[in-house]
């Protein structure tokens, strides 16, 4: 378990931990954290190899990211927490709740998946090969097109530029290892063991993780609630 992750704590109240997406950092939660800190203790952190957190230079899997989160919760002594994750962070939420149920009060899994079929894995492999050969600039624009709709990108150029800059600053090797961790997820069996309250959030226009991915997660976790 890692305790050297970069993190920030703000606010007062029940603890909410926010786990970011692939190629991002804790800054992706700025607007959400500003609202939550009025009522909650908000913990944000950078995944290994992302933002200001070290690591990511050796291969790792999704369970390693769950162990990182568990180690941080233990280190801070703030558990159990309400754990909120988007995309890769949502995968971390699933793995954490299945393997460390005593550390979570609830999970929110946003725009995420629990497994990928062969075709999707081939897509991940192509992205991994591209970033290893040509660097982050070769995949940044494609990522933004998957994350954000055309109208949003046109209306929020500053936010788009911030996200693109964050992607370009991400170490290409660490990003490739994170892509491998994401591509290899098989969280279905673990999801069946989750007993804490679970909210699954999906976007009707989400191209990166279509609605069917969220529907599958909501079916796998007993009592989970799906909101689109």
């Amino acid at each position: 378990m890692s305790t050297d992750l970069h993190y920030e704590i703000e606010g007062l109240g029940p603890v909410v931990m926010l786990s970011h997406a692939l190629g991002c950092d804790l800054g992706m939660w700025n607007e959400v954290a500003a609202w939550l800190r009025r009522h909650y203790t908000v913990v944000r952190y950078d995944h290994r190899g992302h933002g200001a957190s070290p690591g990511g230079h050796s291969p790792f899997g999704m369970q390693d990211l769950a162990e990182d989160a568990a180690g941080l919760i233990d280190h801070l002594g703030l558990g159990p927490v309400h754990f909120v994750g988007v995309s890769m962070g949502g995968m971390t939420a699933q793995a954490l709740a299945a393997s460390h149920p005593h550390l979570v009060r609830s999970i929110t899994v946003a725009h995420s998946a629990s497994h990928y079929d062969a075709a999707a894995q081939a897509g991940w492999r192509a992205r991994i090969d591209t970033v290893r050969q040509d660097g982050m600039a070769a995949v940044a624009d494609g990522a933004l097109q998957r994350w954000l709709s055309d109208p949003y990108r046109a209306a929020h150029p500053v936010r788009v530029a911030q996200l693109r800059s964050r992607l370009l600053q991400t170490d290409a090797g660490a990003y490739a290892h994170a892509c491998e961790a994401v591509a290899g997820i098989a969280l279905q069996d673990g999801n069946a063991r989750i007993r804490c309250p679970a909210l699954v959030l999906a976007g009707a226009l989400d191209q990166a993780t279509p609605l069917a991915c969220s529907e599958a997660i909501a079916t796998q976790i007993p009592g989970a609630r799906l909101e689109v």
Side-chain angles (χ1 to χ4, degrees):
M1 293 185 180
S2 175
T3 58
D4 57 1
L5 298 176
H6 175 243
Y7 63 88
E8 295 182 4
I9 303 177
E10 55 189 330
L12 186 66
V15 181
V16 177
M17 181 171 281
L18 305 176
S19 183
H20 66 76
L22 173 69
C24 298
D25 64 3
L26 58 78
M28 76 165 292
W29 295 108
N30 285 347
E31 294 87 352
V32 173
W35 186 87
L36 288 176
R37 69 190 178 200
R38 294 180 292 173
H39 307 284
Y40 300 93
T41 298
V42 180
V43 180
R44 296 183 280 167
Y45 72 96
D46 293 334
H47 285 287
R48 62 168 71 185
H50 288 67
S53 286
H57 300 300
S58 299
F60 57 88
M62 193 53 58
Q63 190 58 42
D64 294 309
L65 297 185
E67 296 302 323
D68 288 347
L72 181 58
I73 295 170
D74 280 338
H75 173 70
L76 297 176
L78 294 175
V81 305
H82 298 285
F83 195 93
V84 180
V86 61
S87 190
M88 184 172 74
M91 298 168 190
T92 304
Q94 295 169 73
L96 176 67
S99 58
H100 297 279
H102 63 291
L103 294 180
V104 293
R105 293 189 185 278
S106 71
I107 59 171
T108 298
V109 179
H111 308 278
S112 195
S114 59
H115 71 285
Y116 288 106
D117 61 20
Q121 289 178 2
W124 281 107
R125 175 50 58 189
R127 193 191 312 188
I128 292 165
D129 291 344
T130 297
V131 77
R132 283 183 169 153
Q133 179 176 334
D134 300 321
M136 292 300 297
V139 298
D141 290 335
L144 290 169
Q145 290 171 6
R146 287 188 299 272
W147 290 349
L148 308 172
S149 67
D150 292 341
Y152 185 94
R153 293 199 306 276
H156 300 87
V158 174
R159 187 60 170 144
V160 172
Q162 290 172 339
L163 288 168
R164 192 176 193 278
S165 176
R166 178 67 266 166
L167 277 165
L168 294 178
Q169 293 173 43
T170 302
D171 179 81
Y175 182 87
H177 287 314
C179 287
E180 290 175 329
V182 168
I185 56 171
L187 303 170
Q188 309 96 302
D189 290 345
N191 282 349
R193 300 194 302 270
I194 294 175
R195 293 295 180 267
C196 67
L199 173 63
V200 182
L201 299 180
L205 302 180
D206 191 344
Q207 297 181 35
T209 50
L211 176 58
C213 296
S214 294
E215 290 174 333
I217 295 170
T219 298
Q220 294 156 9
I221 300 176
R225 179 164 62 96
L226 173 66
E227 292 289 346
V228 180

